[in-house]
Amino acid sequence: MTSQVAGQPHPTAEPFDAVELIRIKRDGGTLSDPQVDWIIEAYTRGLIAEEQMAALSMAIFFNGLEPAELLRWTHAMIASGERLDFSSLSRPTADKHSTGGVGDKITLPLAPLVAACGVAVPQLSGRGLGHTGGTLDKLESIPGWRASLSNAEMLRQLEKVGAVICAAGSGLAPADKKLYALRDVTGTVEAIPLIASSIMSKKIAEGTGSLVLDVKVGSGAFMKTRADATELARTMVELGTGAGVTTVALITDISTPLGLTAGNALEVAESVEVLAGGGPADVVELTVALAREMLMAAGRSDLDPAEVLASGRAMDVWKAMIRAQGGDPDAALPTAKETQLITADRDGLVTGLDAMAVGVAAWRLGAGRARREDQVQAAAGVQLHAKPGDRVRAGQPLVTLHTDTPERFERGAAALQGAYTIEDDALAAAPVPVVIDRIG
Amino acid sequence: MTSQVAGQPHPTAEPFDAVELIRIKRDGGTLSDPQVDWIIEAYTRGLIAEEQMAALSMAIFFNGLEPAELLRWTHAMIASGERLDFSSLSRPTADKHSTGGVGDKITLPLAPLVAACGVAVPQLSGRGLGHTGGTLDKLESIPGWRASLSNAEMLRQLEKVGAVICAAGSGLAPADKKLYALRDVTGTVEAIPLIASSIMSKKIAEGTGSLVLDVKVGSGAFMKTRADATELARTMVELGTGAGVTTVALITDISTPLGLTAGNALEVAESVEVLAGGGPADVVELTVALAREMLMAAGRSDLDPAEVLASGRAMDVWKAMIRAQGGDPDAALPTAKETQLITADRDGLVTGLDAMAVGVAAWRLGAGRARREDQVQAAAGVQLHAKPGDRVRAGQPLVTLHTDTPERFERGAAALQGAYTIEDDALAAAPVPVVIDRIG
């Protein structure tokens, strides 16, 4: 029998032993600065094996990281790659990050709105995975638009147009890229210090002067409880502030989808409505609230973003931004080959609509991907005709499903089974405000 | 930015998703029987990746396994390989497993003693790693002796001689072999359910009719506290009993080394002394206590092992056992090229001697290995001239260090710095009994 002897440190030229450091964290200890630096650096080099980092990540899930450990961890991730520098720009910069929610297209109207108010917005975005869509996937439904820019192109566009939404280059925080892929397959995504350092290492490396975080809470969000969302927000604000980036977080509700659409082209169309002065009230409210925070964080609170939105100047920036990346902002957006209507089966008041169910439905219809290598359908998704607070009658349209591949209707519709709560003689409750709290 | 979205189940023909099962255990849930079976089977096939099993092992370190989960886990490990069957033997079988301690050579006199009392002892053993030696390493210091036997050779020797100590074939619980190697490098060795299932899966697969466990507690042992040792013992007894193997555990003290030697040939020589009717009292006491339990568990408590030991019949079985595996029991054992003496620096009463320090010293002198591929020195080790309870005078010998490579003396001696506690006018405390508790 192999004796059940704990692993012994092996002779090596390395300053630390990976097993020893895993044990420290497992047993509730604190890692020193050189130990944290070595972990990130040795993991990036492949000297700490994936299985060792997986065990360490799970130990961090249970025992957390002290504030000083987390700050060092985040800085080590930043140090693993390049840093961008926007200090040559003639205006201040502000960036936004959302932890992701169903129907969250806010980046699309927000970036041009803030740019129209005189603050540059360098928005490095990603593609979607699972039930939340990706900002790049949405913009790629615009004919001709391209996500990849060089750093020089990005700087030029920021100076000229004021806003850029593009793909994050692989040079920013490569340690995070490697660690995130590992966490995704090892059930260690949901560790608040690892989430915070993953987001903040990229945002700090990106070189923004100020940052507004939109931390979602509710069904369909990553953080299911307000306590978790608040802890994540506080942790990120501390990290940003510690790194010299003015950082503020809004805790926002996503118990029901944002706006009336989930899907790529559908969300672009809804965003354009907002820029044109219309659009759903919750999307407008959150866009303006985040714009206000970004302007304040960048020290430019002289303009009221609601007025700028109404003036049409944000729409001008949007068109310039899309054109600068090869897109035609006036071209027709793709539409789905097939649609299917879901109607209400009874009269009553809509008192609930589950965001997760809507996200999963849009994903199953083809708007999202299950694996990184999957293609998304530009026109697939879900259009909502009733939301909480609306009264409906039996037979009235609730949802239109859009897809190019009608065999997906069945699974898409199945995801929405029970998603609506419709009650007989309920009184309409006061609507939940989108912005629940502010931390910073 | 990559959205911080929890991994989604990927489409697959497999009945479960590894990430989903990791999350269940991480969040304190219980795995079903089919889920446990799939984990072990899919891990053995390589479908569950090493990093996923590492994360799951760390989650089990924190959240444990319920008794029913652990029983199923152990059975799935057994089902991953072959099972031996000793039911054709003319006498009952009993096996012993020790969780490992410094100077623990008990298997050597115990197996022939129990065989001399009419119970067959199929003792599958391992090599050492770290500060505790391996039984096979010890026996390999006997000229000619070989550790590898086929299953047929093993059965024949059990029938003819009554005792066999040999290497476990790779066919027993291969899932455990793979998992143990992973735990060793990921800081997940010290999880009681995983230790218990690792030991018991091999012992049950080995096909013994009864089993006595020697669970060590104290410095140099795997379990540092009596509470942990008791929990491990109870868990293993439940698993054995649940699998139809009569199982008993003794909790035994290893705060100080067993006997007066740590090292391969040194421990063989001490074991032969015990078989010849002499040897250190603690080694004799534990050998007889374990023999009594094994005979009782096998239903053959008519003979008193202390009397059989005195009769010389155990020595006869020892010689036959060594000869049957090619060894010469009468050949001189190898002796070290160099020795070095450590003497007492003061008069007084020895009130403590740290087992871990002695184990590390023997290891550094060449008796053990740091990596699996290392060679061990047959003659290296530590010989003790004084143990707790002995009075010593300044200049009197405390320890002799043995090695073939004298450059190791310095690090060997350094390990023993402060290992002895010598007190002025202390009263000799009552000696700690070797056997602390019995569970079964």
Side-chain angles (χ1 to χ4, degrees):
Chain A
M1 305 289 115
T2 307
S3 317
Q4 298 287 326
V5 172
Q8 297 295 333
H10 298 171
T12 160
E14 294 296 323
F16 302 106
D17 176 69
V19 177
E20 204 47 55
L21 302 190
I22 296 169
R23 282 211 203 106
I24 290 174
K25 186 40 67 188
R26 183 196 72 185
D27 296 341
T30 304
L31 299 164
S32 70
D33 285 355
Q35 287 172 337
V36 169
D37 292 348
W38 182 78
I39 288 169
I40 301 298
E41 190 261 329
Y43 176 59
T44 310
R45 272 197 290 151
L47 192 78
I48 292 182
E50 295 288 353
E51 54 267 32
Q52 294 177 317
M53 200 61 168
L56 180 61
S57 297
M58 189 59 88
I60 291 172
F61 175 89
F62 282 96
N63 284 337
L65 290 174
E66 295 294 318
E69 272 179 303
L70 178 59
L71 189 63
R72 192 73 178 202
W73 183 282
T74 307
H75 280 274
M77 302 252 274
I78 295 168
S80 75
E82 63 168 340
R83 292 186 72 153
L84 302 185
D85 182 4
F86 298 125
S87 59
S88 64
L89 289 180
S90 62
R91 35 186 167 176
T93 50
D95 193 5
K96 183 217 61 157
H97 181 85
S98 161
T99 60
V102 174
D104 184 1
K105 70 277 296 172
I106 302 293
T107 297
L108 276 54
L110 179 64
L113 173 58
V114 172
C117 298
V119 170
V121 183
Q123 186 78 45
L124 301 189
S125 294
R127 290 193 168 70
L129 189 63
H131 70 281
T132 51
T135 298
L136 300 183
D137 295 324
K138 294 171 192 175
L139 287 167
E140 281 173 344
S141 66
I142 300 173
W145 188 86
R146 67 187 169 91
S148 288
L149 294 184
S150 70
N151 290 352
E153 287 175 314
M154 197 177 151
L155 258 178
R156 215 176 311 130
Q157 183 173 333
L158 275 176
E159 187 62 50
K160 207 177 139 205
V161 180
V164 64
I165 304 174
C166 65
S170 59
L172 294 179
D176 174 69
K177 188 158 288 186
K178 195 175 170 191
L179 180 55
Y180 188 82
L182 175 67
R183 287 166 55 214
D184 190 42
V185 298
T186 56
T188 51
V189 169
E190 296 89 344
I192 286 177
L194 297 181
I195 298 171
S197 60
S198 174
I199 293 172
M200 295 305 292
S201 63
K202 284 175 292 187
K203 287 293 168 185
I204 296 166
E206 184 194 298
T208 186
S210 56
L211 175 63
V212 174
L213 298 161
D214 180 4
V215 180
K216 302 286 185 194
V217 62
S219 152
F222 198 54
M223 298 286 113
K224 304 293 180 204
T225 68
R226 189 162 159 187
D228 280 351
T230 303
E231 191 190 334
L232 176 60
R234 271 190 215 293
T235 307
M236 292 195 290
V237 168
E238 269 171 35
L239 281 176
T241 309
V245 177
T246 307
T247 308
V248 168
L250 297 185
I251 312 278
T252 71
D253 176 65
I254 191 84
S255 53
T256 207
L258 260 175
L260 293 167
T261 57
N264 300 308
L266 290 169
E267 293 191 51
V268 171
E270 192 169 66
S271 302
V272 171
E273 278 175 39
V274 170
L275 289 161
D282 57 347
V283 178
V284 175
E285 179 189 341
L286 185 55
T287 302
V288 170
L290 288 167
R292 210 161 260 147
E293 292 294 344
M294 288 168 78
L295 295 174
M296 216 157 23
R300 291 293 295 268
S301 42
D302 43 317
L303 287 176
D304 178 357
E307 284 174 23
V308 174
L309 188 61
S311 76
R313 275 184 283 149
M315 177 69 99
D316 296 340
V317 176
W318 161 265
K319 290 189 175 186
M321 180 180 87
I322 297 301
R323 273 195 204 101
Q325 290 173 247
D328 178 356
D330 301 312
L333 290 165
T335 51
K337 291 203 182 111
E338 309 261 353
T339 61
Q340 196 176 76
L341 200 61
I342 297 179
T343 55
D345 56 2
R346 52 172 296 184
D347 294 359
L349 178 75
V350 178
T351 55
L353 169 56
D354 185 62
M356 177 64 102
V358 172
V360 171
W363 174 28
R364 288 185 179 172
L365 289 166
R369 46 173 78 76
R371 289 171 300 202
R372 276 172 220 288
E373 63 271 25
D374 293 347
Q375 295 290 316
V376 299
Q377 293 183 19
V382 169
Q383 201 179 355
L384 306 171
H385 304 296
K387 281 188 64 176
D390 293 339
R391 289 198 178 271
V392 293
R393 296 200 148 271
Q396 184 181 323
L398 284 181
V399 180
T400 304
L401 309 179
H402 297 244
T403 186
D404 293 335
T405 41
E407 63 274 19
R408 291 170 177 264
F409 279 134
E410 194 179 326
R411 291 193 67 224
L416 290 169
Q417 277 288 343
Y420 275 92
T421 311
I422 301 177
E423 291 182 82
D424 254 346
D425 44 14
L427 284 175
V432 178
V434 177
V435 178
I436 299 172
D437 202 358
R438 178 183 189 278
I439 287 162
Chain B
M1 306 289 115
T2 306
S3 315
Q4 299 285 327
V5 172
Q8 296 295 334
H10 298 170
T12 161
E14 294 296 324
F16 302 107
D17 176 68
V19 177
E20 202 48 51
L21 301 190
I22 296 169
R23 283 210 203 108
I24 289 174
K25 185 41 66 186
R26 183 196 74 186
D27 296 341
T30 305
L31 299 165
S32 69
D33 286 354
Q35 287 172 338
V36 169
D37 291 348
W38 183 77
I39 287 169
I40 301 300
E41 189 261 332
Y43 177 59
T44 310
R45 270 196 291 152
L47 192 78
I48 292 182
E50 294 288 353
E51 54 267 33
Q52 294 177 318
M53 201 61 169
L56 181 61
S57 297
M58 188 59 89
I60 290 172
F61 175 89
F62 282 96
N63 283 339
L65 289 173
E66 295 293 317
E69 272 178 304
L70 179 58
L71 188 64
R72 192 74 179 202
W73 183 281
T74 307
H75 280 273
M77 303 252 273
I78 295 168
S80 74
E82 60 168 343
R83 292 187 73 154
L84 301 185
D85 182 5
F86 298 126
S87 59
S88 64
L89 289 180
S90 61
R91 33 184 168 176
T93 51
D95 192 4
K96 183 217 60 155
H97 180 85
S98 161
T99 59
V102 174
D104 184 1
K105 70 277 296 172
I106 302 294
T107 297
L108 276 54
L110 179 64
L113 174 58
V114 172
C117 298
V119 170
V121 183
Q123 186 79 44
L124 301 189
S125 293
R127 292 192 166 71
L129 187 64
H131 70 282
T132 50
T135 299
L136 301 182
D137 295 325
K138 294 171 193 175
L139 287 168
E140 281 173 344
S141 66
I142 300 173
W145 188 85
R146 65 184 171 92
S148 287
L149 294 183
S150 69
N151 290 351
E153 287 175 315
M154 196 177 151
L155 257 178
R156 215 175 310 129
Q157 183 173 332
L158 274 178
E159 187 63 48
K160 205 175 141 207
V161 180
V164 63
I165 304 176
C166 66
S170 59
L172 294 179
D176 174 70
K177 188 157 288 183
K178 195 175 171 194
L179 180 55
Y180 189 82
L182 175 68
R183 287 165 55 212
D184 191 42
V185 298
T186 55
T188 51
V189 169
E190 297 89 344
I192 287 178
L194 296 181
I195 298 170
S197 59
S198 174
I199 293 172
M200 295 304 292
S201 63
K202 284 176 292 190
K203 287 292 170 187
I204 296 167
E206 185 194 298
T208 185
S210 57
L211 175 63
V212 175
L213 299 161
D214 179 4
V215 179
K216 304 285 187 194
V217 62
S219 152
F222 197 54
M223 297 286 113
K224 304 293 180 203
T225 68
R226 188 160 159 189
D228 280 351
T230 303
E231 191 190 334
L232 176 59
R234 270 190 215 291
T235 306
M236 291 196 291
V237 168
E238 269 172 35
L239 280 177
T241 307
V245 177
T246 307
T247 308
V248 168
L250 297 185
I251 311 280
T252 72
D253 177 65
I254 191 83
S255 54
T256 208
L258 260 176
L260 293 167
T261 57
N264 300 309
L266 290 169
E267 292 192 52
V268 171
E270 193 169 65
S271 301
V272 171
E273 279 176 37
V274 170
L275 288 162
D282 58 346
V283 179
V284 175
E285 180 190 340
L286 186 53
T287 302
V288 170
L290 287 167
R292 208 160 262 147
E293 293 293 346
M294 288 168 77
L295 294 174
M296 214 154 31
R300 292 293 294 268
S301 43
D302 43 317
L303 287 177
D304 178 358
E307 284 175 22
V308 173
L309 187 61
S311 76
R313 275 183 281 151
M315 179 68 99
D316 296 342
V317 176
W318 163 263
K319 290 190 176 186
M321 180 180 86
I322 297 302
R323 274 196 204 101
Q325 289 172 249
D328 178 356
D330 301 314
L333 290 166
T335 51
K337 291 202 181 111
E338 309 262 355
T339 61
Q340 195 175 78
L341 200 63
I342 297 178
T343 56
D345 56 2
R346 53 172 296 182
D347 295 359
L349 178 75
V350 178
T351 55
L353 170 56
D354 184 63
M356 176 64 102
V358 172
V360 171
W363 174 27
R364 288 185 180 172
L365 289 165
R369 45 173 80 76
R371 287 171 300 200
R372 275 172 221 287
E373 61 273 24
D374 293 348
Q375 294 291 315
V376 300
Q377 293 182 18
V382 169
Q383 201 178 355
L384 306 170
H385 305 295
K387 281 188 64 175
D390 294 339
R391 287 197 180 274
V392 295
R393 294 197 151 274
Q396 185 181 321
L398 283 182
V399 179
T400 304
L401 309 179
H402 297 246
T403 186
D404 293 336
T405 42
E407 64 274 17
R408 291 171 177 263
F409 279 135
E410 195 179 326
R411 292 193 66 224
L416 290 168
Q417 279 286 344
Y420 274 93
T421 310
I422 301 177
E423 291 182 83
D424 256 347
D425 44 15
L427 285 174
V432 178
V434 177
V435 178
I436 298 172
D437 202 358
R438 178 184 189 278
I439 287 161

